[in-house]
Amino acid sequence: MAMSSYGMTASTSGSVLDRILKEKMYPTVSSEAQEANANLTSGMSSLSDSVSALQNGDTYADSDEGAGADKVFSAMKDYVSQYNDVVSAAHKSTLTGKVSYTAGMMKSTRANADRLAEIGVTVNRDGTLQLDEKKFKAADISKVKELFSGDDLMGYGATVKSRLGFASLDAGPVSRPEKDAATEKDKIEDKKELDSLTYAGAGALKTDIEKLTSDSLYEKKKDKDGVGQYDIDRILDAVRNFAGNYNAMLDAARMSINSGVTSNLARVMDKTAQNSEKLDGFGIHVDSRGKLTLDEDAFKKSDMSRVQSFFKQYGSAIASNVSLVDYYMTTGADASYGYTPFGTYNAQGSFRFDRAI
């Protein structure tokens, strides 16, 4: 049989390829990695509960101003312990989707290191946290409450909570070929339905963004006196469609298990939260779940030149992430392996979780 240029027969080459493909479909996971995967999954659930406790107003109900109450300290101690368990497990885990969200959580922690230091929490070089009880109890308790507030969508606590929420949707790799066929079929059908909803929402939103960033939408028409006037009803209709399709994409994408979808959804929500005050000025409100509501009367009173300028910047900022949601739904690709421990995307797709962050 003829040899290939690489010194292998065609049959040998084929069998090697088959083996590689099989390993990709059903990766072998070591016992250590399996333990880390289990610890990471359970740890994220516990950590989410710890964040919820620090977001709960009852935790602070009996605290004295300027002093760290025992209940608040206990909640923070649990948070630090659970956080460190998640970080430790992530270093050894093969669940790349969950690891990438852990990296995003750690990036947010690093960004808030100074504020954490004010309440006695130090960010170590390996990404874990260290709690100084004496300094914490001497800190202003309102700083703890503000740092973990669930009302601030861009705040530290809300960001960590969202990363954990998205991570809980990531199914991780298949570790064995044995499956229940009926259950798997139901999962596939459910996923197809969710993907189609997400794809439709993202596709429609892309069109809305293109319209809202176009100059033609804001062309003035002269009235009987020759004065140029905006077609406010036309602009309002475009914004109404935008808000509706934005919310539809959020509803569907939040349930997706594709890390490319969920990570880009997070970026869209982050950018929207960053612009919530400006949106509010046009009668477009961002609620606690990140969804949009439109006050049409307030919008009609807005300066349309400012609306145009805003959407050219904001629309352009979220357009790339909306397009990526569209892309990941169209191709079925998964982006989790391409995120670095710093929470940034590696275009080459090489994934590495570095202990020294």
Side-chain angles (χ1 to χ4, degrees), residues 59-312:
T59 302
Y60 306 89
D62 301 323
S63 62
D64 297 323
E65 187 67 28
D70 289 341
K71 186 161 56 174
V72 182
F73 173 73
S74 178
M76 178 57 74
K77 187 176 180 181
D78 285 344
Y79 173 76
V80 169
S81 176
Q82 300 294 349
Y83 185 99
N84 289 344
D85 287 346
V86 167
V87 171
S88 297
H91 284 309
K92 301 176 182 178
S93 176
T94 60
L95 301 177
T96 55
K98 285 181 170 57
V99 171
S100 69
Y101 287 117
T102 301
M105 176 188 76
M106 294 170 71
K107 178 184 177 183
S108 181
T109 298
R110 181 70 68 183
N112 285 275
D114 290 342
R115 296 180 67 190
L116 286 164
E118 290 178 359
I119 60 172
V121 180
T122 303
V123 183
N124 298 320
R125 181 171 174 77
D126 64 356
T128 58
L129 302 178
Q130 185 172 337
L131 176 61
D132 184 326
E133 179 177 357
K134 184 176 181 181
K135 187 172 181 179
F136 180 85
K137 290 187 173 181
D140 184 345
I141 208 69
S142 65
K143 290 185 177 181
V144 181
K145 190 174 183 179
E146 180 182 355
L147 188 62
F148 284 90
S149 173
D151 295 329
D152 181 4
L153 291 176
M154 289 300 295
Y156 174 63
T159 300
V160 171
K161 187 80 170 178
S162 70
R163 295 296 180 269
L164 293 170
F166 286 129
S168 69
L169 299 173
D170 189 278
V174 178
S175 59
R176 58 189 178 88
E178 298 84 0
K179 300 176 181 178
D180 181 274
T183 302
E184 188 63 22
K185 182 179 179 181
D186 289 339
K187 288 181 179 179
I188 291 172
E189 292 303 316
D190 289 344
K191 185 179 185 300
K192 283 182 178 178
E193 182 177 353
L194 289 172
D195 287 356
S196 66
L197 289 171
T198 307
Y199 175 70
L205 190 59
K206 280 175 61 181
T207 301
D208 294 333
I209 293 171
E210 290 170 1
K211 189 170 185 178
L212 283 167
T213 55
S214 68
D215 291 330
S216 61
L217 180 63
Y218 305 93
E219 288 180 354
K220 293 183 179 180
K221 295 182 178 180
K222 292 183 179 180
D223 60 17
K224 60 181 180 179
D225 298 321
V227 179
Q229 299 286 348
Y230 287 106
D231 188 341
I232 295 179
D233 288 337
R234 184 169 172 238
I235 299 172
L236 173 61
D237 185 59
V239 172
R240 187 188 297 117
N241 289 337
F242 171 84
N245 286 319
Y246 182 98
N247 292 340
M249 185 185 74
L250 257 61
D251 285 338
R254 273 174 166 153
M255 300 175 70
S256 175
I257 62 172
N258 185 303
S259 65
V261 172
T262 54
S263 60
N264 280 287
L265 173 66
R267 283 159 177 76
V268 170
M269 294 179 70
D270 285 348
K271 291 172 183 178
T272 299
Q274 289 171 359
N275 287 279
S276 59
E277 289 187 11
K278 291 181 179 179
L279 284 163
D280 196 66
F282 301 131
I284 307 170
H285 309 298
V286 184
D287 67 19
S288 59
R289 297 176 59 220
K291 300 181 75 172
L292 304 180
T293 58
L294 175 62
D295 183 333
E296 297 190 3
D297 291 334
F299 181 81
K300 287 181 178 180
K301 297 175 183 177
S302 302
D303 182 341
M304 292 301 138
S305 65
R306 291 182 59 214
V307 171
Q308 178 182 13
S309 178
F310 170 75
F311 272 102
K312 278 187 175 294

Side-chain angles (χ1 to χ4, degrees), residues 20-35:
I20 292 174
L21 290 174
K22 185 175 181 180
E23 288 176 352
K24 287 287 185 181
M25 292 176 64
Y26 310 116
T28 301
V29 182
S30 68
S31 58
E32 182 183 28
Q34 288 179 8
E35 182 180 1

